[in-house]
Amino acid sequence: MTSKIVSMADAAARIQDSAVITVSSSSGLGCPDKILEAIGARFDSEGHPRNLTTLHPIAAGDMYGIKGIDHLAKDGLLSTIIAGSYPSGPSNLPMPAIWQMLVENRVAAYNVPSGILFDMHRDVAARRPGVMTKVGLDTFVDPIRQGCAMNDVAAERPIVSRLELGGETWLHFPNIVPDVAIIRATTADERGNLTYEHEGAYLGGLEQAIAVRNHGGLVIAQVKRVTASGSLRPHDVRVPGHLVDLIVVDPDQRQTTETGYDPAISGEIMRPWSSFSLAEHGIEKVVARRAAMELKSGQTANLGFGISAMVPRVLLEAGQEQVVTWAIEQGATGGMPLTGFAFGCASNADAYMPSPQQFTYFQGGGFDVSFLSFLEIDLDGNVNVSKLGKKPYLTAGCGGFVDITANARKIVFSGLFEAGADLELTEDALKVRTPGKFTKMVDEVEHVTFSGRRAKELGQDVIYVTERCVIHLTDAGLVATEIMPGIDPARDIVDASKGRVRLANDLVEMPKALLSRSAMELSL
């Protein structure tokens, strides 16, 4: 049997000019960083491969030590990138090379919802005529807006169109056939069978490998170790060896950014619930507490990044950590979603769903409620989380946000009412000492990641929780129905939003318990 195990350089040498490459990762989680580095190094020395197109259902790499796509962000090497999300981070760090290329129109860049990108791989594999979906209608995904294009050069080459079929409007994404799949696992046997025992998620590697194999392409798997043929339990194999052409080994691959290996992330051990840290007291925790009040015992809830990620810790503090089942887009279901560099993972999970199947569940709206964040909200209730023109790399793009919100029954958006306000938090009240630099309630959002108009058409229950008030999306616009103790409704809400948020006639005060440093009693 010919060995499939090769060096990083040998694997990189197999990639042809103008290839379409699909990469499995979620920022640092599952990122096959060493083989991406080898491709970039080959280009630096040989000038090849050239003119690559890369597909990333979720971001490859981050800004904290795992370069990912930045290894390929070189003029001549990369011509097109189609990604669910991009590396992101704070403004005090240098702009990633891929963002520099994007803003300077040196690469055609698109932001396609993560679930749709996974759907594209499955439709390519089955040789169906592309993805037909309602996910993304009336958002930046829709051709009536930006059609997923992130810059001018991408806008010149549309990848999505509107179709009328059966009296309904659909979005159509034509097939993009990948020539190469670069995936990652923990262990490969000599035949190429792959197991994921140290991984924190299953990020679509199987779907990507099948899409490539069904079209005669090349599948490269980066792993931590190799074992003998026949030594892996068949039930543990997530990608069978007949789909894998080459194996490259990085014994030092990280489980997540800044995590070498933690068995609790991969579900090999269960942590005591007392070992999880609680949310630090402050304004964001107050918002997360009020958001948590929207939950009911026995529900399944989706969770996003930002303030929303604190909601499980609020439940933990209240002794309610297991009354709700959390479901996150990387695939973990149940348990305690992690924060910081391990976001996208969970400990004490009930199951690790493959991310593509998790997105199918999300797109169909099977869960009860979603907790997400916002950058800005406009008069129509539209939400932007995917684009900031002045500081583009502060946001990762849409990720799974569009898939999740497309048919969600209830959505709780959380965020601060203004940017940069000086707030005084006490046990009794929250007061605005100095107004912020600007309100997040605007006439028109820069990017429509969530369509308020479509939400009203579908009858979705949409609320926005801020430190000052709770806002409901109504036919009459944005209406504040609850106010935080200490807030002046006329000055701090109506005037601060320039009249974009109105006050309900039956405005009520939120409970003071939200402000307490002590654990808040929470009855779901």
Side-chain angles (χ1 to χ4, degrees):
M1 180 179 66
T2 303
S3 176
K4 295 183 177 183
I5 304 167
V6 299
S7 69
M8 298 286 179
D10 287 343
R14 293 282 299 274
I15 296 175
Q16 303 296 310
D17 290 352
S18 302
V20 178
I21 302 176
T22 180
V23 181
S24 177
S25 88
S26 176
S27 297
L29 175 64
C31 184
D33 195 59
K34 286 298 181 182
I35 184 61
L36 297 177
E37 182 181 17
I39 296 168
R42 180 192 167 205
F43 178 80
D44 289 340
S45 63
E46 301 178 11
H48 297 281
R50 302 186 61 81
N51 195 38
L52 298 183
T53 294
T54 57
L55 308 176
H56 309 269
I58 315 178
D62 53 41
M63 295 173 60
Y64 303 94
I66 297 180
K67 289 183 67 174
I69 187 58
D70 259 23
H71 289 303
L72 308 186
K74 305 171 188 286
D75 292 319
L77 170 58
L78 188 65
S79 65
T80 304
I81 178 169
I82 303 171
S85 50
Y86 287 75
S88 63
S91 59
N92 63 343
L93 292 178
M95 182 184 292
I98 187 61
W99 277 104
Q100 196 71 48
M101 291 185 74
L102 189 160
V103 298
E104 294 175 0
N105 275 296
R106 291 156 45 207
V107 61
Y110 304 84
N111 187 197
V112 176
S114 294
I116 291 178
L117 271 166
F118 283 128
D119 292 339
M120 290 169 71
H121 284 81
R122 286 182 289 197
D123 281 15
V124 162
R127 299 179 184 267
R128 291 188 284 261
V131 176
M132 293 280 288
T133 182
K134 291 180 180 288
V135 172
L137 282 171
D138 199 38
T139 72
F140 80 93
V141 176
D142 197 321
I144 65 171
R145 297 189 189 273
Q146 289 81 18
C148 298
M150 295 183 72
N151 56 14
D152 292 340
V153 66
E156 295 171 359
R157 294 157 44 191
I159 62 169
V160 57
S161 61
R162 270 192 165 218
L163 290 179
E164 299 298 322
L165 183 66
E168 297 182 301
T169 301
W170 300 79
L171 299 182
H172 177 236
F173 289 82
N175 285 336
I176 299 172
V177 178
D179 304 296
V180 180
I182 301 177
I183 62 178
R184 199 186 96 171
T186 301
T187 305
D189 72 7
E190 295 167 296
R191 295 171 62 86
N193 296 301
L194 305 180
T195 59
Y196 284 65
E197 62 271 19
H198 290 178
E199 306 300 317
Y202 305 117
L203 299 169
L206 177 60
E207 285 76 8
Q208 290 164 296
I210 293 173
V212 168
R213 169 60 68 244
N214 284 6
H215 290 271
L218 176 73
V219 179
I220 303 171
Q222 178 183 305
V223 297
K224 190 176 184 178
R225 58 198 183 184
V226 176
T227 191
S229 295
S231 60
L232 299 176
R233 289 181 66 247
H235 276 290
D236 294 337
V237 173
R238 291 283 177 159
V239 180
H242 72 96
L243 299 178
V244 178
D245 297 294
L246 303 177
I247 301 165
V248 294
V249 182
D250 174 18
D252 299 318
Q253 68 184 20
R254 299 177 190 174
Q255 195 177 40
T256 73
T257 301
E258 299 201 348
T259 305
Y261 167 58
D262 177 354
I265 284 177
S266 44
E268 296 166 275
I269 64 169
M270 303 291 274
R271 288 174 55 178
W273 288 101
S274 60
S275 70
F276 295 101
S277 62
L278 301 178
E280 183 179 347
H281 186 69
I283 302 297
E284 292 188 347
K285 183 176 180 178
V286 170
V287 176
R289 279 175 164 174
R290 176 57 191 86
M293 292 173 62
E294 295 299 315
L295 284 164
K296 295 180 181 179
S297 180
Q299 287 186 327
T300 298
N302 164 257
L303 192 69
F305 194 60
I307 292 176
S308 296
M310 299 174 71
V311 175
R313 306 303 169 117
V314 169
L315 268 62
L316 176 66
E317 184 179 60
Q320 304 282 325
E321 64 273 5
Q322 297 186 72
V323 301
V324 168
T325 298
W326 298 105
I328 54 181
E329 63 187 63
Q330 287 79 3
T333 301
M336 176 59 67
L338 302 181
T339 56
F341 291 121
F343 182 81
C345 302
S347 292
N348 299 2
D350 298 322
Y352 293 93
M353 291 276 288
S355 191
Q357 278 70 53
Q358 190 81 301
F359 273 111
T360 298
Y361 173 60
F362 289 161
Q363 288 175 346
F367 55 99
D368 296 293
V369 58
S370 181
F371 291 86
L372 300 167
S373 299
F374 66 81
L375 292 175
E376 55 181 1
I377 304 166
D378 70 17
L379 289 168
D380 290 328
N382 298 323
V383 171
N384 174 24
V385 299
S386 50
K387 184 179 181 182
L388 284 174
K390 295 180 181 179
K391 299 281 187 178
Y393 63 99
L394 297 187
T395 174
C398 69
F401 190 100
V402 178
D403 304 283
I404 292 163
T405 57
N407 288 297
R409 305 171 208 173
K410 181 173 184 174
I411 309 167
V412 180
F413 293 110
S414 296
L416 301 184
F417 199 89
E418 289 183 319
D422 182 13
L423 304 171
E424 178 186 357
L425 175 62
T426 69
E427 296 268 330
D428 297 315
L430 176 69
K431 296 183 179 180
V432 181
R433 287 191 290 218
T434 306
K437 297 176 182 177
F438 56 86
T439 179
K440 295 185 179 182
M441 311 296 155
V442 299
D443 286 336
E444 187 175 342
V445 294
E446 183 175 357
H447 221 217
V448 178
T449 331
F450 167 77
S451 169
R453 178 172 58 189
R454 182 157 175 79
K456 286 184 281 188
E457 291 174 355
L458 295 175
Q460 293 173 303
D461 183 6
V462 181
I463 71 171
Y464 313 87
V465 179
T466 78
E467 80 286 6
R468 304 184 190 188
C469 59
V470 174
I471 303 166
H472 279 76
L473 177 61
T474 73
D475 290 336
L478 303 176
V479 179
T481 57
E482 301 175 35
I483 187 170
M484 189 66 71
I487 292 296
D488 181 323
R491 182 193 66 194
D492 300 332
I493 297 174
V494 178
D495 292 347
S497 69
K498 299 183 179 179
R500 298 175 183 116
V501 178
R502 299 188 301 106
L503 303 177
N505 294 329
D506 55 351
L507 188 68
V508 298
E509 192 173 80
M510 287 187 248
K512 284 188 178 181
L514 295 171
L515 307 170
S516 176
R517 285 187 171 274
S518 302
M520 176 182 171
E521 184 176 340
L522 192 64
S523 177
L524 303 185

